[in-house]
Amino acid sequence: MDRTDPMRVVVAGGTGLVGRPLVQHLLGLGARVEVLTRNPAGAALAPGARAHPWEDLASLLDGAEAVVNLVGEGIADRRWTVARKAAIRDSRILATRRLVEAMRDCRRPPRALVNASAVGYYGARDRTPVDEGAAPGTGFLPDTCRAWEAEAMAASEFGVRVVRIRTGVVLAREGGALPKMALPVRLCLGCRLGSGRQGLSWIHLDDLVALFAEAVRDTAWEGPFNGTAPGPIDNAAFTGLLARRLHRPLLPVPGPLTAAALKLGLGEMADALLLQGAFVVPTRALAHGFTFRHTEAGEALEGLV
């Protein structure tokens, strides 16, 4: 981003797990960063970034180099009721639609839209590696991701370069899935979930931030990219790595028992997020020359737990 006029990037959802470090990263690259948030006064952004309410959307997007859309309710925050599933879906689809409609009305639309998606797009798979060419799965998460991406792709109709980042389980020291996954292991209550053979497609937070930034910077990036590390593993192997890292034993609980307990406690969410999975690989990011700092889960955990 070495240019006389700093690149201006608008980040929607810039106060979350990925948004905050991404804003900091973009600032470090010399970009001018504007953050869309429902609470500008309480955003507490990195020095140099500016917070804006969604009411400023039309003027903010006009002439921007890129828009990064990270907006969406957490999918694992609580049990999936009908209302919760609607909130998960609508928060993604409606926010993306609002952004794209505002872009369409700009005199100078942003050159790029880098839109979050998720590996939930692929649904449950066997142990065969899954890349960006795979068809979507079926069920709530695949249907939500497919509709989410369709809203983003509408921006391509008026010349915007659209990148969809299908993010895996983000490994971070604070926030995200890892602290929740590590807690039962810390308490000596860890065990594999179900068969333990279901794929867990993960990515270190630092790599995900760098991947989003590269999608903003490199005009050759377009279409779907898997935001996952090159080394997906299964649930049993990941749980074993956590146990060794934390110096804790694992309980030999039979798979059917853990599966039944999870389904009783979490309902539909247990199957979609914990008992099923896919081995998703970042074929397109690697083909575009992106270098992952963390390629193996054991190494990635060393600095996080």
Side-chain angles (χ1 to χ4, degrees):
M1 296 186 186
D2 185 12
R3 41 194 282 163
T4 304
D5 182 23
M7 175 183 286
R8 187 163 66 86
V9 181
V10 178
V11 180
T15 59
L17 176 69
V18 179
R20 285 192 184 280
L22 176 60
V23 167
Q24 183 75 61
H25 187 84
L26 291 170
L27 289 168
L29 294 176
R32 177 182 163 195
V33 184
E34 318 275 4
V35 175
L36 276 169
T37 175
R38 290 175 293 181
N39 181 22
L45 299 175
R50 298 194 299 178
H52 300 266
W54 279 77
E55 288 72 20
D56 290 353
L57 189 58
S59 60
L60 197 61
L61 296 185
D62 193 81
E65 187 73 19
V67 177
V68 179
N69 179 23
L70 302 170
V71 175
E73 292 278 340
I75 63 170
D77 292 353
R78 51 187 179 272
R79 189 184 177 100
W80 288 356
T81 62
V82 172
R84 184 60 186 165
K85 288 169 68 176
I88 290 169
R89 179 182 172 89
D90 291 350
S91 64
R92 288 160 172 76
I93 292 171
L94 299 183
T96 306
R97 183 180 302 166
R98 186 175 178 184
L99 284 168
V100 171
E101 288 176 349
M103 290 181 196
R104 192 188 302 273
D105 293 338
C106 288
R107 184 172 61 87
R108 297 170 300 158
R111 295 184 182 181
L113 169 62
V114 180
N115 207 81
S117 183
V119 296
Y121 177 92
Y122 302 110
R125 303 278 173 148
D126 60 19
R127 298 181 70 89
T128 304
V130 177
D131 67 12
E132 293 87 352
T138 58
F140 171 65
L141 287 181
D143 292 349
T144 297
C145 290
R146 189 167 61 249
W148 189 10
E149 292 190 16
E151 295 292 342
M153 282 303 299
S156 64
E157 298 170 4
F158 48 94
V160 176
R161 174 175 65 91
V162 180
V163 185
R164 294 112 68 199
I165 308 292
R166 294 170 181 163
T167 303
V169 175
V170 181
L171 302 185
R173 185 186 302 275
E174 298 178 2
L178 184 57
K180 297 176 183 177
M181 298 167 76
L183 181 60
V185 179
R186 288 185 189 277
L187 298 176
C188 296
L189 297 174
C191 61
R192 72 180 186 188
L193 303 181
S195 71
R197 292 176 55 80
Q198 63 272 33
L200 194 157
S201 301
W202 60 275
I203 186 168
H204 192 288
L205 177 60
D206 291 348
D207 278 334
L208 184 60
V209 165
L211 193 142
F212 268 98
E214 190 66 8
V216 167
R217 186 198 67 80
D218 191 340
T219 58
W221 285 48
E222 190 166 5
F225 285 77
N226 290 332
T228 58
I233 59 176
D234 63 28
N235 168 266
F238 188 83
T239 306
L241 290 173
L242 270 177
R244 286 192 290 275
R245 181 67 190 164
L246 295 170
H247 307 290
R248 299 290 194 275
L250 292 177
L251 298 176
V253 183
L257 185 57
T258 60
L262 286 169
K263 290 178 182 180
L264 180 63
L266 300 176
E268 180 184 356
M269 187 170 75
D271 267 327
L273 298 183
L274 301 175
L275 298 174
Q276 299 175 354
F279 292 79
V280 180
V281 292
T283 299
R284 296 199 67 212
L286 293 171
H288 280 69
F290 183 81
T291 301
F292 288 85
R293 291 175 55 193
H294 305 278
T295 59
E296 300 297 331
E299 176 274 326
L301 288 174
E302 288 179 7
L304 299 176
V305 295

